Amino acid sequence: MTDLEHQITRRRTFAIISHPDAGKTTLTEKLLLYGGAIQLAGSVTAKKNRRQATSDWMELEKQRGISITSTVLQFEYGGCVLNLLDTPGHQDFSEDTYRTLVAADSAVMLIDNARGVEPQTIKLFAVCRQRGIPIFTFINKMDRPGLDPLDLMANLEEVLGIRSAPVFWPIGDGDQFQGVYDRQSSQLHLYDRVQHGANKAPVRIVDLSDPTLDTIIGQGPAQKLREDIELLDVAGEPLDPERIAKGEITPLFFGSAVTNFGVERFLKRFIDLAPAPMSRSAQEGEIAPNEAEFRGFVFKIQANMDPNHRDRVAFLRVVSGRFERDMVAFNPRSKKSVRLTRPQKLFASDRETVEVAYPGDIIGLTNPGVFQLGDTVCTGTPVRFRGFPRFAPEHFGVLRNRRSEKYKQFQKGIEQLSEEGVVQLFHEINAGRTEPILGVVGQLQFEVIQFRLLSEYGVDTGLDRLPYNHARWIQGPEEALKEVYWGMGTRRVEDSFGNFVCLFESPWGMNHIIENNPKLRFLATALDLSESQTDAGA
């Protein structure tokens, strides 16, 4: 085995997906605690004299107690290098989550013990299934009363259409939750609670065949555990690695992130079952991770992670080969070579210079306007990776700068935030660009944008909401465009790249115009437009 192949087998790159309030940030903190990356786990519900969650580095995240932007957290555990992509749970920030999932090789789906599968989980699960990546399910909050474990398994199958194969089984729930049973080892892992779950939970290991089991956990819990395990052994889904890899079944774990019950055991089993970095689809074919040439793609751009430098960082997922500091790579979109002089290893907002990186790793590249979302960076024969999602905005508003002396800061802030992909910019055709129209997927993004413009650029803004909820990029002959009767409830604008876009107030009005203009193409995203132009050129 070559050094490159060895490094690939050590990597696990995964995201955690969930509905809001399922405990995703708490689980992230506890994985870092057991991975040795932090010494004391924080909580977004912590008191003022306690630390904030590691993954929530943005000021607004700390104030609101929610994750707003994806972060990368790399740490080592059990001889493996784990790249954890922490994503927002709130649906208004789902576009950032969808893009981040492109960089993951597997996903941990977090389910609330009392609520089962919830709406945002359904959407994120669909993205994972569409990509065919393995999904590992962690039933959280077992320290609170909830649904019966067998009912939760049925809920997964009925709502998501996926069968589960329990790896752990809970011992009690609510106040009676004592730990988990590991079906592979036939051992019970019993935990003692620690204050606020800030430190690792002490654990006792007991065999299922121990004659004193009824005394240790109680006669009722012991009897139920034996009955449940017998049922699973007879009628349960086998833990088939091939079906897991295809995303056809999901390994099922139970635990409590807030009390640390089952977290470390989950981490160990996850490493055993989760895939190492996989091949990626490019326009030129499949790119295997063990290919010699370095190749990667930019899936996220973040401005102002370091308030002292006001820089922009491009998050790059390494797909193949070995990345080395100061190497020269090629960007096929811009057709330019660039020396990668300041690569950084990321841990939320903390960074350190990285000398080498391997497939599966996420590195930060200082971005002086060189990179855009979806860019490929490579050596050797140029390639361009496929499948980078873009979404049509559903909410629109005119952003107004309230202080004329802040014009330059306003322009710079809007430009950089749009590069991150959290907002799309539109302008009136043949008009000045002082008051852009913002388009977002979730309306909470408006609040985030205004907060960041004020806190990061010193720009106070006002927002006038617009009635539109659909956008279409339009392509076709000039003569056909002149014949269109646009009617009421539409607004014609152009995006940041000069493409013609029409905003619609209602789906009925939009469909009416589409049906009456068959010579034109009405595309859902700018990505569709660029791909159609590429195909036409080919």
Side-chain angles (χ1 to χ4, degrees), residues 287 291 293-296 317-320 377-379 381 383 385:
I287 306 298
E291 293 185 17
E293 296 292 352
F294 159 72
R295 299 183 179 102
R317 155 72 194 243
V318 180
V319 175
S320 70
V377 184
C378 58
T379 61
T381 303
V383 300
F385 288 103

Side-chain angles (χ1 to χ4, degrees), residues 46-75:
K47 295 181 179 179
K48 291 183 179 179
N49 63 337
R50 293 174 56 79
R51 60 188 300 281
Q52 296 289 341
T54 303
S55 55
D56 290 337
W57 59 269
M58 190 182 292
E59 184 61 32
L60 187 59
E61 292 178 308
K62 297 174 183 178
Q63 292 183 14
R64 296 287 292 272
I66 59 173
S67 295
I68 288 172
T69 182
S70 299
T71 56
V72 179
L73 303 157
Q74 186 187 76
F75 59 100

Side-chain angles (χ1 to χ4, degrees), residues 279-521:
S279 298
R280 297 281 166 158
S281 177
Q283 293 180 10
E284 295 75 13
E286 289 292 308
I287 306 298
N290 61 356
E291 293 185 17
E293 296 292 352
F294 159 72
R295 299 183 179 102
F297 60 85
V298 175
F299 67 93
K300 176 180 175 63
I301 293 176
Q302 184 72 54
N304 304 326
M305 290 185 69
D306 184 348
N308 297 320
H309 296 94
R310 299 299 185 196
D311 57 358
R312 284 170 288 171
V313 175
F315 288 61
L316 181 134
R317 155 72 194 243
V318 180
V319 175
S320 70
R322 172 185 163 112
F323 171 89
E324 297 181 355
R325 180 186 177 188
D326 288 330
M327 71 188 304
V328 176
F330 184 70
N331 182 341
R333 175 191 57 80
S334 65
K335 296 181 173 56
K336 293 181 180 180
S337 295
V338 58
R339 182 176 294 276
L340 307 176
T341 56
R342 290 190 291 168
Q344 299 162 344
K345 175 184 175 181
L346 301 163
F347 189 84
S349 60
D350 297 331
R351 306 180 231 170
E352 63 181 60
T353 300
V354 61
E355 299 295 332
V356 296
Y358 297 92
D361 286 343
I362 310 296
I363 57 176
L365 302 176
T366 302
N367 176 27
V370 173
F371 304 112
Q372 293 181 9
L373 287 170
D375 275 358
T376 297
V377 184
C378 58
T379 61
T381 303
V383 300
R384 297 191 71 166
F385 288 103
R386 294 180 179 273
F388 199 82
R390 296 287 298 275
F391 300 88
E394 300 174 7
H395 307 275
F396 300 87
V398 176
L399 191 66
R400 305 192 187 283
N401 177 20
R402 288 175 170 164
R403 298 172 59 185
S404 59
E405 69 273 18
K406 292 285 187 176
Y407 175 78
K408 289 185 178 179
Q409 294 91 327
F410 176 75
Q411 293 292 335
K412 179 180 179 181
I414 287 297
E415 177 187 344
Q416 293 190 353
L417 293 180
S418 66
E419 285 181 355
E420 292 183 16
V422 298
V423 59
Q424 296 185 47
L425 298 184
F426 304 94
H427 299 88
E428 298 287 356
I429 296 175
N430 299 322
R433 300 200 165 202
T434 55
E435 294 182 344
I437 296 173
L438 271 57
V440 297
V441 173
Q443 55 186 342
L444 266 180
Q445 288 286 22
F446 286 135
E447 183 178 342
V448 173
I449 291 160
Q450 289 186 273
F451 180 91
R452 292 187 61 189
L453 283 171
L454 183 60
S455 63
E456 298 174 17
Y457 300 90
V459 178
D460 186 21
T461 58
L463 183 76
D464 297 334
R465 296 293 297 271
L466 297 174
Y468 312 106
N469 50 36
H470 294 80
R472 288 296 181 268
W473 278 253
I474 302 175
Q475 185 182 46
E478 188 69 28
E479 309 77 49
L481 286 170
K482 292 179 180 179
E483 296 174 359
V484 179
Y485 174 70
W486 299 102
M488 302 291 290
T490 64
R491 189 165 185 169
R492 285 160 288 165
V493 296
E494 61 182 21
D495 66 13
S496 299
F497 303 98
N499 298 313
F500 178 43
V501 186
C502 188
L503 311 182
F504 299 90
E505 287 188 13
S506 71
W508 181 88
M510 179 179 69
N511 292 331
H512 178 75
I513 291 178
I514 292 174
E515 291 169 3
N516 285 277
N517 295 277
K519 295 180 181 179
L520 299 178
R521 299 186 68 197

Side-chain angles (χ1 to χ4, degrees), residues 137-139 149 153 156 164-169 239 250-254:
T137 301
F138 188 95
I139 305 293
M153 290 179 62
L156 288 172
S164 55
V167 181
F168 294 169
W169 199 250
L239 198 66
T250 176
L252 184 62
F253 302 83
F254 292 83

